[in-house]
Amino acid sequence: MEWKIMPCTALLLALAPQTSAQEQAPAATFANPLLPSGPDPWVISHDGVYYYTHTLGNRIQLWRTSDMAELARAKKRVVWTPPKTGANAHSIWAPELHRIGGKWYIYYSATAAGHKDDRHRAVFVLENDAANPFTGKWVDRGRVNTQRAGIDGTVFDQGGTLYFAYSPYIGSVSGIALARMTNPWTLTGEETVIARPDKRWEDRGGRRILEGPQFLKGPDGRIFMTYSAGACWSDDYALGLLEAKPGASLLDAASWTKHPQPVLTKGNGIYATGHNGFFKSPDGREDWIVYHANSGPGMGCTAKRAPHMQRIVWNAAGEPDFGAPTPPTMRLAKPSAIPAPE
């Protein structure tokens, strides 16, 4: 027998296990949850990149990825930690990253040092003029000048006007309030309460609560707003929906219609579905929702709440259909991507 000496590289290639093109390609599907922990998730896309964040309690951290379905592999960085004293020292909740006027802003809820009650909770703002929010300096712009104590601030640009929505404490309940902004940290003029907890399903866990407002523009120009209803420690924590017709005065409470039933609630072994955000697929053709949920009953309002995402379908009436929460056993198609050039 004649032996032939193979070059080292060739020998290694010959001995290496062979994989098909299908095995080498990235997975086209994913399953929820995206991470084992992630209360109050939020996503924004900018220049082909998704930035994600959620409640960590004592700091604000950003994740950066081009594929939301691969969030567990994303780069991450702590971008801000609170002062040890002052009005924004503790309970850093529900951060949201926004791009406004060429700068980055983070809205977050916080509680004053030495306090745990609702009267000392408010929404605060950080500003960064760097192109990449992972870099640059975050400047504390202080508390948003809301009329009431509250949490869960978010912003939305409609026709060149910047609006701020949050969840104020109104006596023993909390609702949804809306106001115009003169800049990303200052409200001006009237602050209108556009929704209060007046449905039976909005009274869960011993508290009548509406919180976590999020804007969503419909294909026909209607403005929708989701909110989380009931107490976060209840298995029945769910998403409700408000809507305003195109051209309506958003600061007029009469412009908003509340849907009679929750639009995303427990099911398929998933509980406490709430506090969401919205984002587009990479090609801009699909709308997606990200929300937190528990994987079993009785898990409460803890860090075990994990981020889930699924596609939104717009029905024939022009309304968003969020579907039912998906269990870990269900594989979902990833958000649609821009086709690669031939």
Side-chain angles (χ1 to χ4, degrees):
M1 177 182 294
E2 181 181 358
W3 291 88
K4 293 184 179 179
I5 305 231
M6 298 178 66
C8 182
T9 302
L11 179 61
L12 289 174
L13 289 173
L15 295 176
Q18 300 299 304
T19 57
S20 67
Q22 183 177 7
E23 290 173 325
Q24 293 174 345
T29 62
F30 73 97
N32 284 312
L34 303 174
L35 297 172
S37 172
D40 311 327
W42 167 261
V43 181
I44 184 175
S45 62
H46 180 69
D47 289 343
V49 176
Y50 292 100
Y51 295 98
Y52 166 91
T53 187
H54 64 233
T55 291
L56 290 167
N58 62 356
R59 65 195 186 280
I60 295 177
Q61 179 172 287
L62 300 179
W63 283 251
R64 176 186 169 100
T65 181
S66 60
D67 185 350
M68 273 300 299
E70 301 294 335
L71 184 60
R73 301 179 184 179
K75 294 181 179 179
K76 54 189 177 182
R77 179 168 298 175
V78 174
V79 297
W80 183 80
T81 54
K84 294 182 179 180
T85 61
N88 59 339
H90 299 311
S91 300
I92 310 303
W93 298 346
E96 291 191 7
L97 177 68
H98 292 264
R99 184 74 171 170
I100 305 170
K103 295 183 180 182
W104 292 104
Y105 294 89
I106 293 178
Y107 295 84
Y108 65 97
S109 305
T111 304
H115 298 277
K116 295 182 178 181
D117 59 290
D118 293 342
R119 291 180 301 167
H120 291 86
R121 302 189 198 283
V123 179
F124 298 81
V125 189
L126 304 171
E127 180 186 65
N128 188 341
D129 60 7
N132 179 350
F134 268 37
T135 63
K137 180 181 179 181
W138 287 97
V139 177
D140 187 349
R141 287 294 185 181
R143 179 187 184 276
V144 179
N145 58 318
T146 56
Q147 292 179 9
R148 300 173 176 88
I151 58 173
D152 298 348
T154 191
V155 296
F156 178 73
D157 188 308
Q158 172 65 1
T161 298
L162 193 63
Y163 291 91
F164 177 84
Y166 78 114
S167 174
Y169 297 111
I170 309 168
S172 62
V173 306
S174 61
I176 304 297
L178 193 62
R180 287 191 181 94
M181 308 188 84
T182 54
N183 59 47
W185 59 90
T186 307
L187 309 185
T188 184
E190 179 184 10
E191 181 179 306
T192 305
V193 176
I194 62 171
R196 299 171 186 264
D198 54 10
K199 305 293 183 185
R200 180 175 298 178
W201 53 270
E202 295 170 338
D203 182 359
R204 291 291 184 265
R207 289 287 300 271
R208 295 168 59 206
I209 295 174
L210 306 186
E211 61 186 15
Q214 290 296 328
F215 293 95
L216 177 65
K217 192 165 187 177
D220 61 2
R222 271 182 287 179
I223 304 298
F224 294 93
M225 184 188 290
T226 55
Y227 61 90
S228 301
C232 63
W233 53 84
S234 168
D235 289 343
D236 296 306
Y237 191 62
L239 286 186
L241 187 67
L242 303 167
E243 68 170 88
K245 294 180 179 179
S249 174
L250 299 186
L251 291 180
D252 182 356
S255 296
W256 293 92
T257 301
K258 181 186 289 187
H259 285 228
Q261 298 297 327
V263 292
L264 181 64
T265 188
K266 66 181 181 183
N268 294 325
I270 304 299
Y271 297 82
T273 53
H275 204 116
N276 70 288
F278 297 111
F279 64 96
K280 291 276 190 181
S281 59
D283 62 8
R285 295 184 300 174
E286 298 173 352
D287 288 296
W288 284 70
I289 182 173
V290 60
Y291 62 94
H292 73 226
N294 284 328
S295 60
M299 293 175 62
C301 190
T302 72
K304 292 181 180 180
R305 294 170 294 168
H308 294 232
M309 74 178 196
Q310 56 202 57
R311 186 182 174 185
I312 299 168
V313 176
W314 295 92
N315 63 26
E319 299 172 341
D321 184 346
F322 302 107
T326 63
T329 54
M330 181 180 294
R331 303 294 301 183
L332 303 173
K334 285 185 176 183
S336 59
I338 299 173
E342 295 184 359

